[in-house]
Amino acid sequence: MKAEEMRDLFEEGRQSMRMNYYPPCPQPEKVNGLTPHSDGAGLTILLQINEMEGLHIKKYGMWVPVKPLPQTFVVNIGGALEIVTNGAYRSIEHQAVVNSRKERLSIATFYSPRVDGEMGPAPSLITPQTPALFRRLGVSEYFKSFLAQKLDGKSHLDAMRIEN
Ligand SMILES: O=C(O)CCC(=O)C(=O)O
Ligand SMILES: [Fe+2]
């Protein structure tokens, strides 16, 4: 894709941060730390602070734990990048589980498109053979709809999909 299509959306993009605290839980199997979801941002850079395992990603339909490594970030693709790349990059479904032994902390930094921008598959990627898979919409409208939904896998992206 053309570099400026990415730059126009992300150069003045919004950055936000979420800190997650998961206390130890006596019955961890009965609790969700963070419900399965995919992030709305373009990219998420995640730090698993105290190196307690808890993050799972969904790979080939199965939950796979992501082992925390010291001084290492996890970089996840979010829904905005999936839309802009017309599905070439896929956002990753993930969840956080809790444990009975020790608290867990993580910091997620989200890199999102500029709030006053318009978002859709990059025009340079659209051809008769590769039609747009997602509709165009304002970035603020995208986030409004993302935040209005319950965290539920990748359902927020499905709402943006063009039915073929
Ligand atoms: O705690 C984690 O490892 C995941 C956090 C997360 O997915 C989020 O904040 O969106
Ligand atoms: Fe997340």
Side-chain angles (χ1 to χ4, degrees):
M1 64 183 283
K2 288 188 182 149
E4 65 261 28
E5 290 169 327
M6 193 65 90
R7 215 178 292 129
D8 287 348
L9 269 177
F10 285 94
E11 196 165 50
E12 298 290 323
R14 189 181 61 173
Q15 294 185 17
S16 54
M17 207 174 237
R18 175 159 59 210
M19 298 184 190
N20 302 297
Y21 175 70
Y22 309 94
C25 174
Q27 292 179 294
E29 64 289 344
K30 292 191 174 167
V31 174
N32 263 333
L34 201 50
T35 320
H37 67 283
S38 68
D39 299 333
L43 278 183
T44 303
I45 298 184
L46 180 82
L47 181 65
Q48 309 193 73
I49 299 179
N50 58 342
E51 290 160 33
M52 281 304 289
E53 200 170 289
L55 174 64
H56 289 176
I57 59 165
K58 203 171 214 180
K59 199 174 174 188
Y60 306 124
M62 285 180 4
W63 289 113
V64 179
V66 179
K67 234 186 182 29
L69 300 172
Q71 299 182 34
T72 303
F73 292 117
V74 174
V75 180
N76 279 336
I77 289 169
L81 202 57
E82 178 159 347
I83 291 176
V84 170
T85 63
N86 201 31
Y89 284 80
R90 300 271 176 83
S91 71
I92 185 79
E93 189 175 342
H94 54 284
Q95 66 174 359
V97 299
V98 295
N99 73 82
S100 57
R101 284 170 294 130
K102 205 178 142 193
E103 66 187 5
R104 176 170 179 269
L105 290 105
S106 69
I107 301 181
T109 306
F110 303 102
Y111 292 85
S112 302
R114 57 186 304 153
V115 183
D116 59 354
E118 208 195 63
M119 209 174 87
S124 66
L125 294 176
I126 304 309
T127 68
Q129 293 75 38
T130 56
L133 300 178
F134 300 96
R135 56 193 178 86
R136 289 194 78 76
L137 78 174
V139 172
S140 61
E141 193 196 331
Y142 167 77
F143 278 106
K144 220 179 274 168
S145 116
F146 175 72
L147 294 169
Q149 292 191 29
K150 280 201 297 191
L151 291 182
D152 175 21
K154 291 180 64 164
S155 65
H156 73 282
L157 264 185
D158 291 335
M160 315 286 154
R161 232 174 260 282
I162 294 173
E163 306 287 339
N164 285 314

